[in-house]
Amino acid sequence: MEIRIEDLVFRYGKRTALDGVNLTLNEGVTGLLGPNGAGKSTLMKILATLLRHRHGKVYVNGWELPCDGQYVRQNLGYLPQVFGFPENLTGREYLLYAAAMKGAPESQVDMLLDEVGLLNVGDRAIRTYSGGMKQRLGIAQALLGDPRLLIVDEPTSGLDPEQRSRFRYLLTQRRTDRITLFSTHVVADLEQTADRVAVMHQGKIRFFGTLKELAECAGGQVWVFRRTPSTPPLTGAYVVSERFQDGDIVARVISRTKPTLDAVSVSPTAEEGYLVLLGNSGIQSSEREGGSERR
Amino acid sequence: MTLRNSPGFRTIVAYEAKRTWRSFLPFSIIAASIILYLLAPALSTGDYGELGFQSPSLSRHGDLVQVVPLLGVLLGAYSAWETQRDRRTQTEEIMLGWPVQAWQWSLARSITLASVTAAVFLSLAIPSAIHTAISYATAVGSNGSWVAYAVKDAGTISVDLMASLLGSQAIGEIAGYIFSGISAIVLVILYRLAVLVGPGIIMGTMQWPYPLLVSPDLIASNYWVPYSEAFGLVPHEELFLTHRLFWLAGSLCAIAALSVLGCYRRDARGKLPILAFGAIVLLAIGSAIPFIRHENRIVEAQQNALAAFGQPVKPKLVVGEDGHVDTGNASSFEDAGRALPLGYKIVADFSSPPNARISATVTLKSEASVSELDFTLRRVFKVDGVELNGHPIPADNLRREGDILVIVSDRAFTIGEVITVTITYSGKVEDWRLDPYERPVAIARRGMLVVPATWGWYPVPGRHELTWEIPLTSLVYRHLEDRARPFGDAEPLFDVTLIPPQGISAVAGFVPRNESVGSTGTNARGEAVWMLNGRRQQVSLLGGNWAAYRQEGIEYLVPVQCLDTWESCSKSFRELVKTATEWIGLDSAIVVPYSFADPQFIDAGLFGPIYYGGSDWTVLYRAMVRWIWNIHRFGLRRDQNAGNADAAYQYLFSSHVVDYVISQIARQSGVEEAVDPSEGYDDEAPLNELEQRFREWTRKTPVQEQKQVLRRLFAAARQRPLLAEDFQFLQRGVK
């Protein structure tokens, strides 16, 4: 199973959403990171066959999109970022509907309801569900039929910590023999599930690699030091976090240079790598474009 | 992937139906349709609401279609809302990721919507069909044939309803595809409003499926004209049904096309759907051609008629309080006295509708020494030939001057000379119009023949002005006057042979003519032949097809279209007729649901009145009274040379006897309060001796005996002028 994207361009009118995306995905969980408007959802919709592109090539396991969309959909589990449900169906009915459409066995319905914690409310009308419950129902329908291509667009938004943990477990359970594309703003979710991560910005892939490699983007630029509360804030450094400890403030910052004399260089996290990568810290990293970092 | 081998399609339909029918909206629309169905009679302007369980199905539906557009708005708005449901609620964001063709969802949703449409349709059509069936089944004289009539009416209603409702769904779906959210609903409402309240051209051009398909005459009466103007007169059944069926097919095609061309962004629009859509458009335009041609024919006919009729001459009709009618210049009589008609022998052949070929042989007595004979014969007829005393007249000796036919003889006729003129003429029955813009007044088609009493379809000696009639106002008086004035005091006898179109089993006032041995009522060609021997008033309405049956001694001839309401409509009327029969004797009565708003002006041929099939018995009674009065006025024989004694008795009869009988009929039939039976007569006037005798006789003579005596008197009066000896009973009474 492989997804190959070549020079993909997609425009909404005059606005360019994807600007020459090149990416190759293999089996495993791929996290998709990027700020709002980076083009993550557009890319996912194209892969999920909901949008038809005109420029560039997209192959899913050899099938070319959009013309072979029907074949792709037969192997697809998709959860969009924003979606709705037929609210006068029950959760179980909806999943049975989805199972029938996907050709999945009905036995999967109760199993998935159980896995997402909705078994007890499966016979309630969806309109009575909370936002989190609907999100879980969406996840369940995406997992129906054991799809070989699973695309989930910010699936953890609206989930409480326990459910997020459960979702991550569901994902890691299904990481083999399939491609999972998982977009999120929560880097911590990726740290526990993703084998690779792609960072998008302004319609381009800015990074594609492991989380460790992402973290390395901020290598030698993350510092920790103590300061008194009366000390004025630093300038020229991006403060990642500050916490009180023994009457002092322990600050973690991103900076190209050593911010204070007692600052100690520490290992960066993937989130810090991401911040450096996108320049949000005010500090640009040398970009590691997907083209050079394809796996 | 085709529909048949798509494993999920039924499931899609089932789940989409579940989604749809779990909402309260479909049930609300169905409830609204039932409420509107029940309220429709109350909103109607018809007067059948008091008829109880019987009602005229098509008239009732005519009222229902006034409220169907409201349902159309509801259904259209609902369809628009549902069409964009998945888009609006973003449900499709997930569902489009499922391995299902987008058109399958569109089609499934359309089918589900159609199930709502069908439910609304059934909520209207089923009670309507039941009502229709009950009305026909309980009709007097109904036998197995009522099923056919009920099915026909119910079918017509069903087609109309289904076309309207499916059209609403299609329009709603189109709006739902084009617009999103509330704007789609607003569009549907605005569209419907424009159709409902806009001028005719907008109504015509905005009806689905597109402007070319609607002929203006079909929408002239808010688009319900299958049997308009009651007894046909507008034979649009086929056109109406064609239009509705096309509308139905067009809506289905539109819904199907929308399913394929649906605005889903996901699937490619292949060439086939585009070609199919193009084919549908072309088919729609192509199918419009017959409607356009029909419309052009109407316009052309109107222009021709306008050219033929010239400027209208409006009749000056004055109806006095005493019921006396002055038609003013309705039919002027310029040269009465040249020739007096003695008899007519007419053969009217309608066996090849819509064409008629008529041969009229008129026997005249010349009353002036002239060489020209003038006849008034409507200009729509083409004169094919004229014979004078058995000799053909050369075309050069014939002249057409509008409605006047001038026949020039080689010699002047002598006074008192009996002349026989045979005029053969032909024409299209639909061309018989009262004015260029009016619909045809006559119909000849399979199973139906309506030729109204308005004269002009057979030649009348003299020059008369055939006026344009103001529709639906004074026809009866026009008929009466037109049959009286041209003839003056002449009483020609009519021998009329009628060959109606096929499918007519009875003709009012006519009896089957036996022409050959072993054949009853058919000619050598196997066509039904009917005959009538009578006087001018009897040559009134050539009509059929009637359901003939005898009840309580009276023969009723009821148009089959009226069978469904006959029982309810005629209950009081039959009581009236029965009572009248006891007093004056009646041979038959013909009940025709004329479209006249005021039955006071109903026709009054001597073979029986034509009654409006309504429930306003006060008006009906007035019509009945007037009919009896008209018998006296036009039907009874008066001897112009009667001696003083006879004249005095004739006056007694025409005033007091008729007056008394009317009052008795009113009292006994329970409608006494309905009208003053002495209306039009001066009760304060002093009575002469004869009148006093009659009044005394009525006081002293038992009612049963009075009836017997007066029946004989009326029977005599219909046969000949009354004489003094007919009133012998008065001599006995005063002794």
Side-chain angles (χ1 to χ4, degrees):
Chain A
M1 188 79 179
E2 181 191 64
I3 293 175
R4 190 152 47 90
I5 302 168
E6 298 172 0
D7 299 323
L8 177 62
V9 176
F10 191 90
R11 293 188 182 89
Y12 294 104
K14 290 181 179 176
R15 190 175 73 79
T16 301
L18 298 179
D19 187 11
V21 172
N22 289 286
L23 193 64
T24 300
L25 300 176
N26 292 310
E27 289 169 357
V29 179
T30 301
L32 195 56
L33 276 174
N36 291 331
K40 303 188 300 290
S41 293
T42 301
L43 177 62
M44 295 181 116
K45 281 181 180 177
I46 288 173
L47 293 174
T49 75
L50 266 72
L51 288 180
R52 302 170 66 84
H53 62 278
R54 290 185 178 179
H55 306 287
K57 302 280 186 185
V58 179
Y59 300 96
V60 178
N61 212 26
W63 292 308
E64 184 175 3
L65 292 180
C67 51
D68 295 333
Q70 189 67 5
Y71 298 103
V72 173
R73 284 190 287 272
Q74 286 171 352
N75 293 279
L76 174 70
Y78 174 58
L79 179 69
Q81 183 182 358
V82 181
F83 57 90
F85 287 107
E87 305 246 324
N88 45 13
L89 295 184
T90 66
R92 178 173 281 105
E93 283 173 337
Y94 180 69
L95 290 186
L96 285 169
Y97 188 9
M101 296 302 101
K102 291 178 155 190
E106 291 187 1
S107 58
Q108 277 193 3
V109 169
D110 275 357
M111 189 187 75
L112 279 166
L113 279 172
D114 189 30
E115 286 191 84
V116 297
L118 294 175
L119 189 59
N120 293 335
V121 295
D123 292 325
R124 271 171 44 186
I126 297 173
R127 65 172 171 272
T128 65
Y129 284 13
S130 67
M133 290 161 84
K134 287 178 181 174
Q135 190 74 13
R136 283 183 274 154
L137 187 64
I139 292 166
Q141 69 79 28
L143 296 176
L144 263 173
D146 287 325
R148 297 194 67 205
L149 173 58
L150 183 61
I151 298 173
V152 283
D153 194 355
E154 299 192 22
T156 53
S157 62
L159 296 184
D160 59 32
E162 182 195 344
Q163 291 302 332
R164 285 172 62 180
S165 170
R166 185 182 286 205
F167 170 72
R168 290 196 295 263
Y169 174 69
L170 284 174
L171 227 55
T172 49
Q173 264 194 324
R174 290 168 168 78
R175 66 189 322 145
T176 53
D177 298 332
R178 78 190 70 209
I179 295 175
T180 300
L181 189 60
F182 170 21
S183 82
T184 182
H185 290 299
V186 184
V187 180
D189 286 341
L190 293 179
E191 285 172 342
Q192 297 176 42
T193 55
D195 302 313
R196 300 168 293 275
V197 63
V199 178
M200 289 190 74
H201 186 48
Q202 294 177 339
K204 294 178 184 292
I205 300 289
R206 293 297 173 91
F207 171 86
F208 183 67
T210 63
L211 282 164
K212 189 179 173 187
E213 288 167 339
L214 178 61
E216 284 170 2
C217 292
Q221 300 179 48
V222 182
W223 307 88
V224 174
F225 60 90
R226 283 177 177 264
R227 66 177 178 88
T228 60
S230 57
T231 310
L234 282 176
T235 56
Y238 180 84
V239 180
V240 178
S241 66
E242 285 187 336
R243 57 187 171 83
F244 279 96
Q245 190 176 29
D246 302 330
D248 290 332
I249 295 173
V250 178
R252 187 180 176 100
V253 301
I254 300 173
S255 174
R256 284 186 184 277
T257 56
K258 192 173 184 178
T260 61
L261 289 175
D262 59 341
V264 179
S265 179
V266 294
S267 298
T269 64
E271 186 174 356
E272 287 157 347
Y274 169 75
L275 289 170
V276 170
L277 186 67
L278 297 192
N280 290 349
S281 60
I283 299 157
Q284 282 289 339
S285 162
S286 56
E287 291 183 1
R288 305 177 71 181
E289 295 269 1
S292 59
E293 292 293 328
R294 280 181 196 159
R295 296 190 166 192
Chain B
M1 184 179 285
T2 64
L3 184 64
R4 183 176 292 276
N5 62 21
S6 171
F9 187 69
R10 284 185 184 174
T11 311
I12 296 172
V13 173
Y15 275 99
E16 289 300 312
K18 201 177 284 186
R19 293 176 65 185
T20 296
W21 285 100
R22 282 202 183 154
S23 165
F24 70 96
L25 286 174
F27 298 99
S28 304
I29 297 172
I30 293 167
S33 72
I34 293 170
I35 291 169
L36 286 174
Y37 179 85
L38 296 174
L39 285 179
L43 301 173
S44 83
T45 53
D47 56 358
Y48 59 84
E50 302 166 5
L51 296 183
F53 63 89
Q54 284 195 327
S55 70
S57 51
L58 294 178
S59 300
R60 190 186 58 239
H61 183 63
D63 290 327
L64 183 61
V65 296
Q66 307 299 319
V67 298
V68 162
L70 290 174
L71 277 179
V73 170
L74 279 177
L75 198 60
Y78 174 72
S79 299
W81 191 246
E82 284 295 286
T83 297
Q84 50 167 274
R85 176 187 60 194
D86 291 341
R87 192 177 358 141
R88 189 181 62 249
T89 61
Q90 295 181 311
T91 307
E92 70 176 22
E93 293 298 317
I94 287 180
M95 295 167 77
L96 288 177
W98 295 350
V100 177
Q101 303 266 14
W103 65 264
Q104 289 183 309
W105 261 309
S106 295
L107 188 57
R109 192 170 48 236
S110 292
I111 290 172
T112 306
L113 279 174
S115 73
V116 177
T117 304
V120 173
F121 163 75
L122 291 175
S123 70
L124 298 173
I126 288 178
S128 183
I130 291 172
H131 205 156
T132 301
I134 290 174
S135 293
Y136 273 112
T138 55
V140 168
S142 68
N143 45 38
S145 63
W146 71 267
V147 176
Y149 296 126
V151 167
K152 185 184 173 194
D153 282 5
T156 304
I157 291 169
S158 298
V159 169
D160 182 57
L161 279 175
M162 187 48 93
S164 297
L165 297 175
L166 262 183
S168 300
Q169 180 187 331
I171 289 164
E173 286 198 39
I174 291 170
Y177 274 117
I178 297 174
F179 294 92
S180 60
I182 299 295
S183 56
I185 294 175
V186 171
L187 178 75
V188 169
I189 293 172
L190 287 178
Y191 172 85
R192 278 288 177 177
L193 277 177
V195 171
L196 283 176
V197 304
I201 185 67
I202 292 181
M203 289 172 65
T205 53
M206 293 189 71
Q207 282 197 60
W208 177 258
Y210 297 122
L212 299 174
L213 306 182
V214 179
S215 167
D217 59 325
L218 280 169
I219 58 167
S221 300
N222 290 329
Y223 79 74
W224 172 249
V225 207
Y227 301 99
S228 89
E229 302 307 320
F231 199 52
L233 304 193
V234 185
H236 283 328
E237 287 165 90
E238 291 86 355
L239 194 63
F240 175 85
L241 284 174
T242 305
H243 175 261
R244 286 301 186 273
L245 286 171
F246 186 81
W247 193 349
L248 200 65
S251 299
L252 285 172
C253 288
I255 290 168
L258 283 174
S259 300
V260 179
L261 295 171
C263 298
Y264 277 122
R265 73 233 184 201
R266 192 190 72 184
D267 294 352
R269 290 168 189 158
K271 286 181 181 173
L272 190 61
I274 292 170
L275 289 175
F277 187 76
I280 288 168
V281 171
L282 289 176
L283 184 68
I285 294 172
S287 303
I289 291 172
F291 295 93
I292 297 169
R293 290 180 63 184
H294 176 79
E295 182 186 340
N296 289 340
R297 277 200 299 272
I298 289 175
V299 172
E300 191 181 342
Q302 285 180 344
Q303 288 171 345
N304 291 343
L306 183 62
F309 275 83
Q311 291 303 309
V313 179
K314 299 294 182 187
K316 295 175 182 174
L317 180 76
V318 179
V319 182
E321 289 185 359
D322 61 351
H324 177 73
V325 182
D326 180 5
T327 52
N329 67 348
S331 58
S332 65
F333 188 52
E334 293 179 1
D335 60 350
R338 281 191 170 186
L340 203 62
L342 303 176
Y344 278 84
K345 186 175 176 60
I346 299 174
V347 178
D349 185 353
F350 293 88
S351 61
S352 304
N355 299 307
R357 183 175 170 81
I358 301 172
S359 168
T361 301
V362 194
T363 307
L364 306 129
K365 188 169 81 174
S366 174
E367 300 209 322
S369 182
V370 292
S371 59
E372 284 189 0
L373 281 175
D374 299 334
F375 288 92
T376 304
L377 179 69
R378 284 202 182 275
R379 67 190 74 189
V380 295
F381 294 113
K382 175 178 173 291
V383 176
D384 300 318
V386 176
E387 288 183 5
L388 182 62
N389 292 326
H391 301 291
I393 298 289
D396 293 344
N397 287 15
L398 300 175
R399 211 165 59 240
R400 256 322 212 163
E401 299 171 1
D403 292 322
I404 308 300
L405 170 65
V406 181
I407 301 171
V408 182
S409 172
D410 293 337
R411 62 175 180 82
F413 305 110
T414 57
I415 295 174
E417 180 181 349
V418 175
I419 313 159
T420 303
V421 178
T422 300
I423 305 171
T424 306
Y425 50 96
S426 56
K428 247 186 179 177
V429 177
E430 278 82 1
D431 290 340
W432 304 2
R433 294 163 189 263
L434 293 171
D435 72 53
Y437 304 106
E438 193 50 43
R439 293 165 178 153
V441 295
I443 295 174
R445 56 196 302 219
R446 183 180 173 82
M448 182 178 284
L449 173 68
V450 177
V451 179
T454 310
W455 66 277
W457 70 268
Y458 57 87
V460 174
R463 288 175 171 264
H464 310 284
E465 194 170 55
L466 298 178
T467 62
W468 289 11
E469 188 54 80
I470 298 172
L472 310 184
T473 52
S474 59
L475 219 52
V476 63
Y477 292 107
R478 282 297 315 282
H479 294 174
L480 293 171
E481 290 294 293
D482 285 349
R483 287 197 292 269
R485 280 175 174 254
F487 297 108
D489 292 328
E491 272 294 356
L493 292 175
F494 281 78
D495 175 355
V496 183
T497 299
L498 177 69
I499 306 173
Q502 282 188 339
I504 289 184
S505 57
V507 179
F510 283 65
V511 294
R513 164 172 272 169
N514 296 326
E515 280 203 336
S516 58
V517 178
S519 161
T520 301
T522 56
N523 62 16
R525 291 179 297 184
E527 296 162 339
V529 179
W530 299 80
M531 57 172 279
L532 178 148
N533 285 310
R535 284 168 292 164
R536 60 182 183 237
Q537 289 83 5
Q538 291 174 267
V539 189
S540 177
L541 179 72
L542 308 182
N545 192 11
W546 319 98
Y549 68 96
R550 183 168 286 277
Q551 189 178 43
E552 295 162 345
I554 302 294
E555 185 179 14
Y556 292 96
L557 300 171
V558 186
V560 292
Q561 289 89 337
C562 311
L563 272 176
D564 58 347
T565 52
W566 170 247
E567 181 67 29
S568 296
C569 276
S570 64
K571 190 175 177 184
S572 303
F573 168 71
R574 281 182 280 121
E575 184 62 32
L576 199 63
V577 173
K578 183 184 170 190
T579 310
T581 309
E582 291 170 359
W583 281 95
I584 62 176
L586 280 175
D587 300 326
S588 67
I590 297 172
V591 178
V592 179
Y594 246 50
S595 57
F596 297 165
D598 186 355
Q600 197 171 354
F601 298 116
I602 59 177
D603 204 342
L606 253 194
F607 55 85
I610 294 169
Y611 281 105
Y612 178 63
S615 61
D616 187 348
W617 303 114
T618 304
V619 183
L620 189 60
Y621 175 72
R622 294 174 70 93
M624 183 77 182
V625 170
R626 206 162 294 282
W627 173 61
I628 295 169
W629 180 80
N630 284 329
I631 289 176
H632 145 68
R633 187 175 175 204
F634 295 106
L636 302 182
R637 301 297 297 265
R638 285 171 292 170
D639 189 346
Q640 303 300 318
N641 302 315
N644 286 340
D646 290 341
Y649 280 105
Q650 286 174 9
Y651 176 75
L652 171 71
F653 178 81
S654 64
S655 57
H656 284 72
V657 175
V658 170
D659 200 9
Y660 173 73
V661 167
I662 288 174
S663 71
Q664 290 302 310
I665 293 171
R667 192 166 294 132
Q668 290 181 22
S669 59
V671 288
E672 183 182 25
E673 70 286 355
V675 67
D676 179 1
S678 62
E679 180 193 10
Y681 298 95
D682 184 2
D683 284 344
E684 301 302 321
L687 300 177
N688 63 29
E689 185 192 349
L690 273 180
E691 291 161 353
Q692 284 177 349
R693 271 197 228 165
F694 178 71
R695 186 161 290 188
E696 196 175 338
W697 177 79
T698 58
R699 273 201 293 267
K700 291 181 177 176
T701 310
V703 171
Q704 286 306 320
E705 187 180 335
Q706 286 184 41
K707 288 179 182 175
Q708 286 180 8
V709 169
L710 293 177
R711 274 204 301 271
R712 283 198 297 273
L713 194 63
F714 270 86
R718 283 194 289 270
Q719 299 298 321
R720 56 177 172 74
L722 291 175
L723 305 171
E725 48 261 39
D726 292 320
F727 292 82
Q728 286 296 322
F729 63 92
L730 289 184
Q731 302 302 327
R732 291 195 299 272
V734 295
K735 281 175 185 176

